[in-house]
Amino acid sequence: MLSSLRAAAAVRPGHGREFRASPETGNLKPHARPGPNLTKCYGFQHHGPGKVAGLKHPCRLPDAGSLPSLSAMSIDRNAKIFVAGHRGMVGSAIYRELQRLGFTRLVVRTRVELELLDSAAVTQFYAAEQPEFVFIAAARVGGILANSQRPAEFIYENLQIQNHLIFGAHTAKVRKLLFLGSSCIYPKLAQQPIPESALLTGPLEPTNEWYAVAKIAGIKLCLALRRQYGDDFISSMPANLYGLNDNYDLQGSHVLPALIRKFHEAKVAGAPAVTCWGSGSPFREFLYADDLARACVFLMENYSADEIINIGCGEELTIKALAETVQRIVGYSGQIVWDTTKPDGTPRKLLDVSRLFALGWRPQVNMESGLRLAYADFLKNPGCR
């Protein structure tokens, strides 16, 4: 269900036990460093788009009345932390970030060791391990094709996984939990950039509504437990993600890893053209997974509120511009053909990240650097295909 954590991406976590990480091991250095190419977005400086053409930066200062309150809480590096979904792209990035920060008691389980669809097994796990903090990155994920072919699995499995993990954390008296949603929870035609208040204000995008409905239910369960029992459970909504340990299966992947694989295979085969879905006109925002991981740890230590909070970079580009950028980075010289009989999905999906930026967080990896890192990881790990 989730991609395997590969040894080339990070030191593999221990299985079936608490894993005591060493601050000196498992640290990657893939992140872009501050350079001269900076742009301003939402009133804050961050890394610019490098050489990526077509990136747009819709700048807007946060409304002073909507700023979130800072709730600083430094997590002891010896605290027991459970990362659910540590073998996927997001979970493995969170795990690496916790390692990098020196956390020494990281708890992980493979699907074989803990079936998250089994309520009793999850309850027993919580009782035995008693983690203090929980990151929920476990989910059944996929792109438009996967959602359209397996809608029942997307809604049922995600509901079950998150219900077991979230309510199990409540029963086990977990100190704090972060639930990762998705930008697809917002209406198809939401105002842009999309504020957190847009949730449930209009119809969802039909191509991924099954996944979105499940994620919305998880958000509401966290909120219900906060209000009824005072549980410190928070929910964050990331933009479209990419990075190390991604899923490149063309039947189940998202648009960016699918483009990387398509252009690479066309380059190797000497194919004259690559066919891409849709018109290429929709705008999308992409965030490097390791940036998301940094944001998740930041929020775990600095945010506690009923309201969901967006995680993104504040930049967008068209799928056409994305495809051309991936084509250039991969080194494919053929043509791009757009199959307009295939769906485009939501026409535009840019998150309003002013609340997160107001807390002081910034992304560190620009699009050009992130795509080069992702392609290098794809080449190093043929098993991910």
Side-chain angles (χ1 to χ4, degrees), residues 144 275-282 319 336-345:
I144 290 177
T275 300
C276 299
W277 274 33
S279 65
S281 63
I319 297 300
I336 300 176
V337 177
W338 294 96
D339 182 357
T340 56
T341 66
K342 297 295 191 296
D344 270 335

Side-chain angles (χ1 to χ4, degrees), residues 39 64 79 116 153 165 184 231 268 278 338:
T39 61
L116 298 179
E153 293 173 24
L165 287 170
C184 73
D231 292 343
V268 172
W338 294 96

